[in-house]
């Protein structure tokens, strides 16, 4: 597995793109990327207009067409043949072999997962929060079923997300991940008040899933940054974060009101 720091690749642009890896070496035929906090919120709903998002995605996609999806924290993955395939639909992942398309999901602490298989040209992106952990396995199975991809050829990128340094969960969720993924994804620590707390690593949970799915470690790249606490060289937070921006807001706010407080990022996958 290759670990990479996105902060080292930040430029004047409001997004960053990086290569997939195969046999521990970067590929030049597809890229995975994410918008930055300075781009503003990339929030997407079918019944809303986000001109900032539309403008930035045009810059990113060029002559290709962005394909959006309203997220619901599920394990639903769509196979795209045209940009209209997800119109008015909800789910959390997309795969395709149509290189004129750019699948886009939104994230803010949740994990963006990207995949690319150079022989068939299959590529895609998934949104994986704790509820959706396992969606990458669904995407791989769909790719195998639809396009006969060979799992050992699939490259996967794990984008910036909340890491176990900041992701504290209750005992029930800790037990769920320990029993369903790997005990290694949960660690116990003693908080300042002397009480025990559970820290969850979504990366370790998904790495266990990828190993079970037959993805080679040499074909995986992992972003080092935690969206909640990582800072750039200037001391700014480069990524949006639900935990940092909204989780501890006034208790009388609705989930929808909290969601509008965070800088949602667009995660995309593009074939060159």
């Amino acid at each position: 597995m290759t670990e990479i720091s996105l902060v080292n690749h930040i430029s004047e642009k409001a997004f960053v793109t990086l290569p997939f890896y195969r046999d521990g070496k970067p590929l030049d035929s597809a890229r995975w990327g994410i918008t930055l906090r300075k781009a503003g919120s990339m929030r997407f709903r079918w019944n809303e207009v986000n001109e900032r998002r539309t403008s930035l995605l045009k810059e990113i996609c060029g002559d290709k067409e962005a394909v959006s999806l309203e997220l619901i924290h599920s394990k639903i993955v769509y196979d795209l043949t045209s940009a209209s395939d997800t119109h008015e639909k909800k789910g959390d992942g997309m795969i395709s072999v149509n290189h004129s398309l750019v699948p886009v999901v939104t994230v803010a602490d949740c994990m963006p997962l990207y995949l690319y298989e150079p022989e068939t040209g299959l590529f895609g992106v998934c949104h994986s929060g704790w509820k959706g952990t396992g969606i990458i396995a669904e995407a791989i199975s769909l790719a195998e079923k639809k396009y006969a991809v060979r799992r050992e050829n699939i490259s996967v990128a794990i984008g910036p997300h909340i890491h176990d340094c900041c992701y504290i969960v209750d005992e029930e969720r800790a037990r769920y991940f320990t029993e369903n993924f790997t005990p290694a994804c949960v660690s116990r620590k003693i908080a300042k008040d002397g009480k025990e707390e559970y820290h969850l690593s979504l990366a370790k949970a998904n790495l266990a899933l990828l190993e079970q799915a037959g993805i080679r470690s040499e074909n995986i790249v992992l972003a080092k940054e935690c969206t909640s606490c990582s800072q750039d060289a200037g001391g700014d937070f480069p990524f949006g974060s639900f935990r940092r921006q909204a989780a501890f807001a006034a208790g009388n706010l609705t989930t929808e009101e909290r969601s509008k407080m965070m800088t949602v990022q667009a995660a995309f996958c593009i074939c060159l």
Side-chain angles (χ1 to χ4, degrees):
M1 181 182 67
T2 301
E3 290 188 272
I4 192 167
S5 174
L6 270 69
V7 168
N8 294 337
H9 295 269
I10 292 176
S11 64
E12 71 283 353
K13 292 183 178 179
F15 60 92
V16 61
T17 66
L18 295 121
F20 287 91
Y21 279 69
R22 185 173 186 177
D23 297 325
K25 299 178 181 179
L27 294 170
D28 59 7
S29 48
R31 309 248 329 161
W32 57 277
I34 192 167
T35 60
L36 302 171
R37 187 172 67 89
K38 63 184 178 182
S41 177
M42 298 292 108
R43 174 184 164 93
F44 177 79
R45 298 287 189 277
W46 288 115
N47 63 349
E48 296 178 1
V49 175
N50 186 338
E51 293 181 355
R52 179 180 293 170
R53 172 191 168 97
T54 300
S55 176
L56 184 55
L57 287 181
K58 284 183 178 179
E59 178 185 347
I60 292 169
C61 297
D63 59 357
K64 301 178 187 291
E65 188 170 5
V67 184
S68 298
L69 188 62
E70 187 169 330
L71 307 184
I72 53 173
H73 295 271
S74 69
K75 297 186 182 87
I76 299 172
V77 182
Y78 293 94
D79 173 35
L80 305 177
T81 57
S82 69
S84 62
D85 286 347
T86 61
H87 183 63
E88 297 291 344
K89 292 182 179 179
K90 298 180 180 182
D92 290 83
M94 292 171 277
I95 62 169
S96 183
V97 293
N98 184 346
H99 293 184
S100 68
L101 306 178
V102 180
V104 185
V105 298
T106 52
V107 289
D109 284 345
C110 290
M111 175 183 284
L113 287 158
Y114 314 80
L115 66 160
Y116 173 59
E117 199 283 302
E119 289 191 358
T120 60
L122 179 129
F123 66 111
V125 61
C126 297
H127 158 268
S128 180
W130 79 266
K131 291 181 181 179
T133 302
I135 190 172
I136 188 63
E138 295 294 327
I140 292 167
S141 294
L142 183 61
E144 187 176 50
K145 178 181 177 181
K146 290 282 190 177
Y147 302 103
V149 301
R150 293 191 295 170
R151 295 182 178 216
E152 64 269 25
N153 288 337
I154 296 176
S155 295
V156 173
I158 301 174
H161 60 281
I162 189 169
H163 286 212
D164 54 353
C165 52
C166 296
Y167 196 12
I168 302 169
V169 299
D170 58 27
E171 185 176 0
E172 181 180 2
R173 190 174 302 181
R175 186 183 308 113
Y176 169 79
F177 271 83
T178 297
E179 294 175 352
N180 289 279
F181 302 103
T182 172
C185 69
V186 175
S187 58
R188 297 184 181 187
K189 299 181 181 181
I190 303 301
K192 291 181 180 179
D193 60 5
K195 294 181 179 179
E196 187 176 60
E197 58 188 22
Y198 299 89
H199 289 248
L200 175 60
S201 170
L202 292 173
K204 289 181 179 179
N206 279 277
L207 286 170
L209 279 167
L210 292 171
E211 182 179 5
Q212 294 166 13
I215 306 303
R216 297 169 59 230
S217 177
E218 300 93 322
N219 294 350
I220 299 172
V221 59
L222 170 67
K224 292 181 179 181
E225 282 79 14
C226 169
T227 48
S228 180
C229 70
S230 292
Q231 295 174 281
D232 60 22
D236 294 325
F237 295 105
F239 306 106
S241 165
F242 174 77
R243 179 181 177 86
R244 190 183 67 248
Q245 296 177 297
F248 304 111
N252 61 342
L253 294 177
T254 66
T255 302
E256 181 66 11
E257 288 171 331
R258 289 177 190 273
S259 72
K260 292 181 179 180
M261 296 176 64
M262 58 184 172
T263 309
V264 180
Q265 299 141 127
F268 55 89
C269 187
I270 187 166
C271 285
L272 305 177

